[in-house]
Amino acid sequence: MSQTPVPVVEFRGVEKTFAAGTARAFTALAGLTFAIEDLPGRGEFVAVLGPSGCGKSTMLNLIAGFEGIAPPTAGEVLVRGVPVSGPGRDRGMIFQRYSSFPHLTVLDNVTFGLELNGRELGHSAAERRELARHWLARVGLTPHEQKYPHQLSGGQQQRVAIARSLVLKPRIILMDEPFSALDEPTRLEMQELILELWREVEATVFLVTHSIAEAVYLGDRIWIFTHAPGRIGRELRDGIPSFTGRPPLEAQATREFQSAVESVTGVFQQVNGGAVPS
Ligand code: ADP
Ligand code: MG
């Protein structure tokens, strides 16, 4: 028998209508269909751009299986061929704003998720600590492991969020405008870090961003969503150069980067008229 690879994430005709059947009914997504293959030894990086309110966060929340959003109103959301029925540690979410626990130290924030999944993961307390320290080192927070989140800069707080997510080895990483609240130099640092870590963890990443430059720098493919009800207006894969191993500032200075940004901007205008990514 031939083996058809099961997509890591698949949407089949997904519709999400909030407050369905009421006067306030609002269809955020409609007819959203796609399949992302799980490239062995190398997950894919999908960057998502679209106008404000077109359902980008809703799509991520459906994959995450968050209560109140999942399941879809119609269609199917499948992760590795199984309908999503709730959150799971195979999917990690990183939000724009700090999602750490304020009363826990940096180190305890990272070990906490491992404790929650303790029985399933079967780590000893010492192993949890070692794993947490490994990821804190990878995101450059070793000197800060005993601090509390409010003692950290915005960029450092996002590093905690990244470590908390990656320590659970998710196969799917969902990022909802993760760097939007950061200043530009910090944002570029975080882009470089995420590209480096992503190559190491080989997960499939969905990144929602309103920065076309960020989408070009990070994405293997770029989706441009239509106005709500959102769906993929255009998918761009060819002509998105890879900037593997090149820092963002160096990449941005190249001609190929600038022409990719121009062409994505042009397609965004075609799909969405005068709107801007938001
Ligand atoms: P985006 O992330 O693309 O800006 P969202 O996915 O957050 O958009 O939201 C899409 C649309 O659905 C928006 O108009 C938003 O107001 C609406 N919406 C999102 N969540 C809810 C909810 N829980 N209840 C009602 N409407 C919602
Ligand atoms: Mg959003």
Side-chain angles (χ1 to χ4, degrees):
M1 257 178 46
S2 74
Q3 283 196 326
T4 319
V6 179
V8 59
V9 180
E10 184 174 5
F11 274 46
R12 293 188 189 149
V14 167
E15 178 194 320
K16 180 67 202 180
T17 298
F18 291 104
T22 75
R24 294 177 297 111
F26 183 84
T27 301
L29 296 171
L32 182 56
T33 296
F34 64 82
I36 303 290
E37 306 301 331
D38 195 2
L39 305 179
R42 185 190 173 289
E44 217 179 320
F45 206 119
V46 182
V48 183
L49 293 164
S52 178
C54 72
K56 303 178 296 295
S57 296
T58 302
M59 175 184 73
L60 295 189
N61 292 335
L62 286 171
I63 300 170
F66 288 148
E67 203 185 325
I69 310 243
T73 313
E76 284 185 290
V77 174
L78 306 165
V79 168
R80 292 176 190 282
V82 179
V84 169
S85 61
R89 77 180 149 82
D90 59 330
R91 286 151 285 147
M93 178 77 104
I94 297 167
F95 298 98
Q96 176 179 348
R97 292 270 169 198
Y98 332 124
S99 43
S100 301
F101 296 104
H103 61 290
L104 295 180
T105 64
V106 167
L107 180 60
D108 288 344
N109 259 289
V110 180
T111 46
F112 185 67
L114 290 168
E115 273 163 43
L116 280 184
N117 293 283
R119 190 165 301 174
E120 234 176 296
L121 291 170
H123 296 304
S124 68
E127 283 167 338
R128 287 199 290 268
R129 202 150 269 260
E130 191 180 321
L131 270 172
R133 289 212 160 106
H134 167 78
W135 281 103
L136 286 172
R138 295 296 294 115
V139 301
L141 284 182
T142 299
H144 305 286
E145 65 173 44
Q146 292 308 328
K147 290 187 181 165
Y148 288 88
H150 77 270
Q151 297 172 304
L152 303 176
S153 69
Q156 289 170 331
Q157 296 194 26
Q158 284 306 67
R159 288 171 189 262
V160 177
I162 291 168
R164 276 186 50 194
S165 179
L166 295 188
V167 76
L168 292 172
K169 296 207 179 91
R171 301 316 303 141
I172 299 165
I173 301 170
L174 308 165
M175 296 197 282
D176 200 350
E177 310 217 13
F179 312 138
S180 297
L182 305 175
D183 59 57
E184 187 64 11
T186 308
R187 185 186 175 99
L188 297 184
E189 262 172 39
M190 299 301 285
Q191 289 176 7
E192 194 174 357
L193 174 69
I194 210 72
L195 207 51
E196 189 185 311
L197 296 179
W198 164 65
R199 250 180 264 117
E200 188 176 316
V201 299
E202 299 168 350
T204 300
V205 181
F206 291 83
L207 168 94
V208 169
T209 176
H210 60 240
S211 161
I212 289 177
E214 187 163 284
V216 166
Y217 181 66
L218 294 174
D220 287 318
R221 60 171 114 182
I222 297 177
W223 287 348
I224 297 175
F225 268 49
T226 65
H227 282 288
R231 56 181 175 75
I232 301 166
R234 281 281 287 279
E235 174 176 86
L236 303 167
R237 294 178 84 171
D238 304 325
I240 308 296
S242 164
F243 298 99
T244 303
R246 279 201 263 179
L249 274 181
E250 192 186 308
Q252 283 180 13
T254 64
R255 238 205 123 92
E256 45 175 352
F257 188 93
Q258 286 156 17
S259 81
V261 168
E262 262 169 49
S263 80
V264 174
T265 306
V267 174
F268 194 96
Q269 293 299 317
Q270 280 168 25
V271 172
N272 286 303
V276 294
S278 177

